[in-house]
Amino acid sequence: MRVKMKILILAIICLLTACRMSETAPYSTVAATDSDSAAIYQDQAYEEMFNGSLAKAEAKAYRAFLLSRDTTMECDALSLLCYIYYREGKQEQLALLMKTISPEMYVSVMDVQSQVERSKARHKQQALVVAIVVLVLLIAALAFWYARRTRALARLYQQRIATVKQKLEISETKVGIDVLHAIINDHNISQMGKKEEQAVLKTLPVVDESLAETLGKATSPLTPKETFFCIMEYYGKNDRQKARSFCCSEQAIRSTKSRLGKKIDISVLRSE
Protein backbone atom coordinates (compact mmCIF):
# COMPACT_ATOMS: atom_id res chain seq x y z
CA MET A 1 0.00 0.00 0.00
CA ARG A 2 2.75 2.43 0.96
CA VAL A 3 4.71 1.50 -2.16
CA LYS A 4 1.72 2.27 -4.37
CA MET A 5 1.22 5.55 -2.53
CA LYS A 6 4.84 6.53 -3.17
CA ILE A 7 4.56 5.58 -6.83
CA LEU A 8 1.38 7.63 -7.35
CA ILE A 9 2.79 10.63 -5.49
CA LEU A 10 5.91 10.45 -7.60
CA ALA A 11 3.77 10.05 -10.71
CA ILE A 12 1.83 13.23 -9.96
CA ILE A 13 5.03 15.16 -9.31
CA CYS A 14 6.42 13.92 -12.60
CA LEU A 15 3.24 14.91 -14.41
CA LEU A 16 3.48 18.44 -13.02
CA THR A 17 7.07 18.61 -14.21
CA ALA A 18 6.09 17.26 -17.62
CA CYS A 19 3.33 19.86 -17.97
CA ARG A 20 5.78 22.66 -17.20
CA MET A 21 8.10 21.30 -19.86
CA SER A 22 5.23 21.15 -22.35
CA GLU A 23 4.84 24.94 -22.12
CA THR A 24 8.03 25.37 -24.05
CA ALA A 25 8.29 22.04 -25.86
CA PRO A 26 4.98 20.12 -25.83
CA TYR A 27 6.24 17.49 -28.14
CA SER A 28 9.54 16.83 -26.33
CA THR A 29 8.65 15.73 -22.84
CA VAL A 30 11.81 13.80 -22.15
CA ALA A 31 15.34 13.71 -23.42
CA ALA A 32 15.18 10.33 -25.14
CA THR A 33 17.48 8.60 -27.52
CA ASP A 34 16.33 6.76 -30.62
CA SER A 35 16.72 3.43 -28.79
CA ASP A 36 14.52 4.44 -25.84
CA SER A 37 11.16 3.03 -26.93
CA ALA A 38 9.35 4.17 -23.78
CA ALA A 39 10.38 7.76 -24.31
CA ILE A 40 9.35 7.60 -27.97
CA TYR A 41 5.91 6.24 -27.05
CA GLN A 42 5.52 8.88 -24.37
CA ASP A 43 6.38 11.63 -26.87
CA GLN A 44 3.82 10.19 -29.25
CA ALA A 45 1.24 10.06 -26.45
CA TYR A 46 1.69 13.76 -25.74
CA GLU A 47 1.47 14.53 -29.44
CA GLU A 48 -1.78 12.57 -29.80
CA MET A 49 -3.18 14.23 -26.69
CA PHE A 50 -2.52 17.74 -27.98
CA ASN A 51 -4.03 16.71 -31.31
CA GLY A 52 -7.20 15.67 -29.49
CA SER A 53 -6.79 11.90 -30.04
CA LEU A 54 -7.17 10.76 -26.44
CA ALA A 55 -7.74 7.09 -27.32
CA LYS A 56 -4.47 6.95 -29.25
CA ALA A 57 -2.77 8.93 -26.50
CA GLU A 58 -3.99 6.39 -23.90
CA ALA A 59 -2.59 3.49 -25.94
CA LYS A 60 0.74 5.24 -26.40
CA ALA A 61 0.98 6.18 -22.71
CA TYR A 62 0.11 2.62 -21.63
CA ARG A 63 2.71 1.25 -24.01
CA ALA A 64 5.28 3.68 -22.63
CA PHE A 65 4.46 2.50 -19.09
CA LEU A 66 4.96 -1.16 -20.06
CA LEU A 67 8.28 -0.44 -21.77
CA SER A 68 9.63 1.77 -18.99
CA ARG A 69 12.96 0.53 -17.63
CA ASP A 70 13.37 2.93 -14.72
CA THR A 71 11.23 4.49 -12.03
CA THR A 72 11.32 7.98 -13.52
CA MET A 73 9.98 6.81 -16.85
CA GLU A 74 7.32 4.72 -15.12
CA CYS A 75 6.20 7.75 -13.12
CA ASP A 76 6.05 9.92 -16.22
CA ALA A 77 4.01 7.35 -18.13
CA LEU A 78 1.71 6.64 -15.16
CA SER A 79 1.05 10.31 -14.49
CA LEU A 80 0.28 10.89 -18.16
CA LEU A 81 -2.05 7.90 -18.21
CA CYS A 82 -3.80 9.20 -15.08
CA TYR A 83 -4.48 12.52 -16.73
CA ILE A 84 -5.66 10.89 -19.97
CA TYR A 85 -8.16 8.74 -18.00
CA TYR A 86 -9.45 11.93 -16.42
CA ARG A 87 -9.82 13.63 -19.81
CA GLU A 88 -11.58 10.57 -21.27
CA GLY A 89 -13.99 10.36 -18.38
CA LYS A 90 -12.94 6.81 -17.53
CA GLN A 91 -13.86 7.09 -13.89
CA GLU A 92 -13.36 3.42 -13.06
CA GLN A 93 -9.79 3.27 -14.32
CA LEU A 94 -9.04 6.62 -12.77
CA ALA A 95 -10.54 5.52 -9.46
CA LEU A 96 -8.22 2.53 -9.32
CA LEU A 97 -5.28 4.92 -9.51
CA MET A 98 -6.80 7.53 -7.22
CA LYS A 99 -7.80 5.16 -4.39
CA THR A 100 -4.40 5.37 -2.84
CA ILE A 101 -4.15 9.17 -3.24
CA SER A 102 -5.11 11.52 -0.43
CA PRO A 103 -7.61 14.36 -1.03
CA GLU A 104 -4.77 16.88 -1.05
CA MET A 105 -3.03 14.96 -3.80
CA TYR A 106 -6.29 14.68 -5.71
CA VAL A 107 -6.39 18.49 -5.89
CA SER A 108 -2.88 18.36 -7.28
CA VAL A 109 -4.02 15.97 -9.99
CA MET A 110 -6.84 18.38 -10.89
CA ASP A 111 -4.29 21.15 -11.11
CA VAL A 112 -2.56 19.18 -13.86
CA GLN A 113 -5.56 19.77 -16.10
CA SER A 114 -5.31 23.55 -15.82
CA GLN A 115 -1.61 23.43 -16.53
CA VAL A 116 -2.06 21.28 -19.63
CA GLU A 117 -4.94 23.45 -20.82
CA ARG A 118 -2.77 26.56 -20.41
CA SER A 119 -0.05 24.81 -22.37
CA LYS A 120 -2.52 23.96 -25.13
CA ALA A 121 -3.83 27.52 -25.17
CA ARG A 122 -0.28 28.82 -25.40
CA HIS A 123 0.43 26.40 -28.23
CA LYS A 124 -2.67 27.62 -30.09
CA GLN A 125 -1.65 31.21 -29.42
CA GLN A 126 1.78 30.52 -30.87
CA ALA A 127 0.17 28.96 -33.93
CA LEU A 128 -2.04 32.05 -34.26
CA VAL A 129 0.98 34.33 -33.97
CA VAL A 130 2.77 32.33 -36.64
CA ALA A 131 -0.31 32.54 -38.88
CA ILE A 132 -0.51 36.31 -38.35
CA VAL A 133 3.20 36.71 -39.09
CA VAL A 134 2.83 34.65 -42.26
CA LEU A 135 -0.20 36.73 -43.27
CA VAL A 136 1.65 39.99 -42.62
CA LEU A 137 4.64 38.76 -44.62
CA LEU A 138 2.31 37.70 -47.42
CA ILE A 139 0.61 41.11 -47.45
CA ALA A 140 4.00 42.82 -47.38
CA ALA A 141 5.18 40.64 -50.28
CA LEU A 142 2.03 41.45 -52.25
CA ALA A 143 2.43 45.17 -51.48
CA PHE A 144 6.08 45.04 -52.58
CA TRP A 145 5.10 43.17 -55.76
CA TYR A 146 2.29 45.64 -56.48
CA ALA A 147 4.58 48.64 -55.92
CA ARG A 148 7.25 47.19 -58.22
CA ARG A 149 4.63 46.30 -60.82
CA THR A 150 3.16 49.81 -60.63
CA ARG A 151 6.60 51.38 -61.07
CA ALA A 152 7.36 49.01 -63.95
CA LEU A 153 4.08 49.88 -65.66
CA ALA A 154 4.73 53.58 -65.09
CA ARG A 155 8.16 53.27 -66.71
CA LEU A 156 6.63 51.30 -69.58
CA TYR A 157 3.93 53.93 -70.11
CA GLN A 158 6.51 56.71 -69.99
CA GLN A 159 8.63 54.91 -72.57
CA ARG A 160 5.61 54.44 -74.80
CA ILE A 161 4.59 58.08 -74.40
CA ALA A 162 8.15 59.19 -75.16
CA THR A 163 8.19 56.97 -78.24
CA VAL A 164 4.86 58.31 -79.47
CA LYS A 165 5.93 61.86 -78.70
CA GLN A 166 9.16 61.36 -80.60
CA LYS A 167 7.25 59.96 -83.56
CA LEU A 168 4.85 62.91 -83.43
CA GLU A 169 7.72 65.35 -83.26
CA ILE A 170 9.40 63.68 -86.21
CA SER A 171 6.09 63.77 -88.07
CA GLU A 172 5.55 67.46 -87.24
CA THR A 173 9.12 68.26 -88.25
CA LYS A 174 8.55 66.61 -91.60
CA VAL A 175 5.30 68.56 -92.08
CA GLY A 176 7.05 71.80 -91.12
CA ILE A 177 9.85 71.20 -93.61
CA ASP A 178 7.30 70.35 -96.31
CA VAL A 179 5.46 73.62 -95.62
CA LEU A 180 8.68 75.64 -95.83
CA HIS A 181 9.59 73.85 -99.05
CA ALA A 182 6.17 74.66 -100.52
CA ILE A 183 6.44 78.35 -99.56
CA ILE A 184 9.97 78.79 -100.91
CA ASN A 185 9.09 77.07 -104.20
CA ASP A 186 5.84 79.01 -104.75
CA HIS A 187 3.57 75.99 -104.37
CA ASN A 188 -0.13 76.22 -103.66
CA ILE A 189 -0.61 76.67 -99.89
CA SER A 190 -4.19 77.96 -99.98
CA GLN A 191 -5.47 74.84 -98.19
CA MET A 192 -2.91 74.95 -95.40
CA GLY A 193 -4.17 75.96 -91.97
CA LYS A 194 -3.51 75.78 -88.23
CA LYS A 195 -1.94 72.31 -88.29
CA GLU A 196 0.64 73.30 -90.89
CA GLU A 197 1.29 76.60 -89.12
CA GLN A 198 2.05 74.82 -85.80
CA ALA A 199 4.32 72.35 -87.58
CA VAL A 200 6.33 75.07 -89.31
CA LEU A 201 6.62 77.11 -86.09
CA LYS A 202 8.13 74.09 -84.32
CA THR A 203 10.55 73.51 -87.18
CA LEU A 204 11.70 77.13 -87.63
CA PRO A 205 13.94 77.30 -84.49
CA VAL A 206 16.02 74.50 -86.00
CA VAL A 207 15.98 75.77 -89.59
CA ASP A 208 16.19 79.54 -89.00
CA GLU A 209 16.38 80.69 -85.39
CA SER A 210 16.40 84.40 -86.37
CA LEU A 211 13.09 84.13 -88.26
CA ALA A 212 11.53 82.17 -85.36
CA GLU A 213 12.54 84.92 -82.91
CA THR A 214 11.12 87.64 -85.18
CA LEU A 215 7.75 85.89 -85.47
CA GLY A 216 7.75 85.49 -81.71
CA LYS A 217 7.84 89.29 -81.30
CA ALA A 218 4.37 89.81 -82.79
CA THR A 219 2.20 91.96 -80.53
CA SER A 220 -0.78 89.61 -80.98
CA PRO A 221 -1.19 86.05 -82.28
CA LEU A 222 -0.82 85.63 -86.02
CA THR A 223 -3.26 83.70 -88.16
CA PRO A 224 -1.90 80.82 -90.27
CA LYS A 225 -2.14 82.98 -93.42
CA GLU A 226 -0.28 85.83 -91.68
CA THR A 227 2.46 83.47 -90.53
CA PHE A 228 2.92 82.14 -94.06
CA PHE A 229 2.88 85.71 -95.37
CA CYS A 230 5.72 86.66 -92.98
CA ILE A 231 7.76 83.66 -94.14
CA MET A 232 7.21 84.66 -97.76
CA GLU A 233 8.24 88.20 -96.95
CA TYR A 234 11.35 86.93 -95.18
CA TYR A 235 12.34 84.90 -98.23
CA GLY A 236 11.82 87.88 -100.56
CA LYS A 237 8.58 86.89 -102.30
CA ASN A 238 6.72 89.72 -104.09
CA ASP A 239 2.97 90.28 -104.00
CA ARG A 240 2.44 88.41 -107.27
CA GLN A 241 4.23 85.31 -105.98
CA LYS A 242 2.30 85.50 -102.72
CA ALA A 243 -1.02 85.84 -104.57
CA ARG A 244 -0.19 82.78 -106.69
CA SER A 245 0.68 80.66 -103.64
CA PHE A 246 -2.48 81.76 -101.76
CA CYS A 247 -4.59 81.49 -104.91
CA CYS A 248 -5.96 85.02 -104.38
CA SER A 249 -5.67 88.49 -105.89
CA GLU A 250 -2.83 90.89 -105.25
CA GLN A 251 -5.40 93.25 -103.68
CA ALA A 252 -6.14 90.56 -101.07
CA ILE A 253 -2.40 90.28 -100.42
CA ARG A 254 -2.17 94.04 -99.84
CA SER A 255 -5.12 93.88 -97.42
CA THR A 256 -3.41 91.09 -95.51
CA LYS A 257 -0.20 93.10 -95.42
CA SER A 258 -2.09 96.13 -94.03
CA ARG A 259 -3.65 94.10 -91.21
CA LEU A 260 -0.37 92.35 -90.48
CA GLY A 261 1.44 95.67 -90.11
CA LYS A 262 -0.51 96.29 -86.89
CA LYS A 263 0.94 93.12 -85.33
CA ILE A 264 4.53 93.04 -86.53
CA ASP A 265 7.07 95.29 -88.22
CA ILE A 266 7.17 93.78 -91.73
CA SER A 267 10.22 95.84 -92.70
CA VAL A 268 12.24 93.88 -90.12
CA LEU A 269 11.50 90.67 -92.05
CA ARG A 270 13.07 92.15 -95.20
CA SER A 271 16.17 93.27 -93.34
CA GLU A 272 16.81 89.90 -91.72
Side-chain angles (χ1 to χ4, degrees):
M1 188 71 173
R2 291 180 179 178
V3 174
K4 291 182 179 180
M5 177 72 74
K6 291 180 181 180
I7 292 175
L8 288 176
I9 292 174
L10 185 58
I12 294 172
I13 294 174
C14 291
L15 180 58
L16 292 172
T17 303
C19 290
R20 294 192 191 97
M21 293 174 63
S22 67
E23 293 179 359
T24 56
Y27 300 117
S28 301
T29 58
V30 292
T33 62
D34 293 339
S35 61
D36 193 342
S37 300
I40 293 174
Y41 276 111
Q42 187 166 316
D43 284 340
Q44 293 175 354
Y46 270 101
E47 184 174 353
E48 296 293 349
M49 183 176 63
F50 282 112
N51 289 334
S53 302
L54 294 178
K56 293 182 179 180
E58 178 188 343
K60 299 290 185 181
Y62 183 71
R63 185 67 175 170
F65 175 73
L66 293 178
L67 294 175
S68 299
R69 296 180 179 275
D70 56 69
T71 306
T72 301
M73 184 59 67
E74 288 179 357
C75 291
D76 289 343
L78 187 61
S79 60
L80 178 57
L81 189 60
C82 179
Y83 177 71
I84 293 173
Y85 282 156
Y86 172 77
R87 288 287 305 277
E88 289 179 314
K90 293 185 175 181
Q91 301 298 328
E92 184 178 350
Q93 290 88 333
L94 180 61
L96 292 175
L97 296 179
M98 300 300 291
K99 281 182 180 180
T100 57
I101 299 177
S102 64
E104 292 80 7
M105 295 308 299
Y106 183 83
V107 173
S108 298
V109 172
M110 294 299 101
D111 187 56
V112 172
Q113 179 185 8
S114 63
Q115 292 190 44
V116 174
E117 293 298 332
R118 285 197 299 270
S119 179
K120 289 179 64 177
R122 189 176 294 106
H123 180 71
K124 291 181 180 179
Q125 186 178 14
Q126 290 173 352
L128 179 62
V129 170
V130 171
I132 292 174
V133 170
V134 171
L135 180 61
V136 170
L137 290 176
L138 179 60
I139 293 174
L142 288 175
F144 179 73
W145 171 82
Y146 180 77
R148 290 198 61 180
R149 181 174 180 274
T150 301
R151 288 196 295 268
L153 288 176
R155 287 195 297 270
L156 178 61
Y157 292 151
Q158 289 173 357
Q159 291 173 357
R160 289 180 177 177
I161 291 172
T163 302
V164 172
K165 185 177 180 181
Q166 184 179 11
K167 289 180 179 178
L168 289 175
E169 288 176 351
I170 293 173
S171 177
E172 285 188 334
T173 300
K174 183 180 183 303
V175 172
I177 292 175
D178 290 343
V179 172
L180 285 175
H181 182 269
I183 292 173
I184 294 172
N185 291 281
D186 300 328
H187 293 174
N188 183 353
I189 62 170
S190 61
Q191 301 302 315
M192 294 184 181
K194 192 69 176 178
K195 176 182 176 182
E196 290 76 14
E197 179 197 25
Q198 293 299 317
V200 79
L201 288 176
K202 288 185 177 181
T203 305
L204 274 180
V206 179
V207 177
D208 195 320
E209 186 177 358
S210 177
L211 176 58
E213 291 179 354
T214 301
L215 293 177
K217 295 177 181 178
T219 56
S220 59
L222 303 178
T223 64
K225 186 174 183 179
E226 291 172 344
T227 298
F228 300 149
F229 185 99
C230 289
I231 296 174
M232 290 178 179
E233 190 73 17
Y234 179 81
Y235 283 107
K237 303 295 180 179
N238 56 40
D239 289 350
R240 184 163 46 85
Q241 290 173 309
K242 295 171 187 172
R244 186 166 58 249
S245 293
F246 282 123
C247 295
C248 65
S249 65
E250 292 186 22
Q251 179 59 39
I253 293 298
R254 286 191 287 272
S255 296
T256 299
K257 185 175 182 179
S258 177
R259 292 193 302 272
L260 186 58
K262 299 176 182 179
K263 298 181 179 181
I264 192 172
D265 186 0
I266 298 179
S267 61
V268 176
L269 294 170
R270 282 289 185 177
S271 62
E272 290 289 341

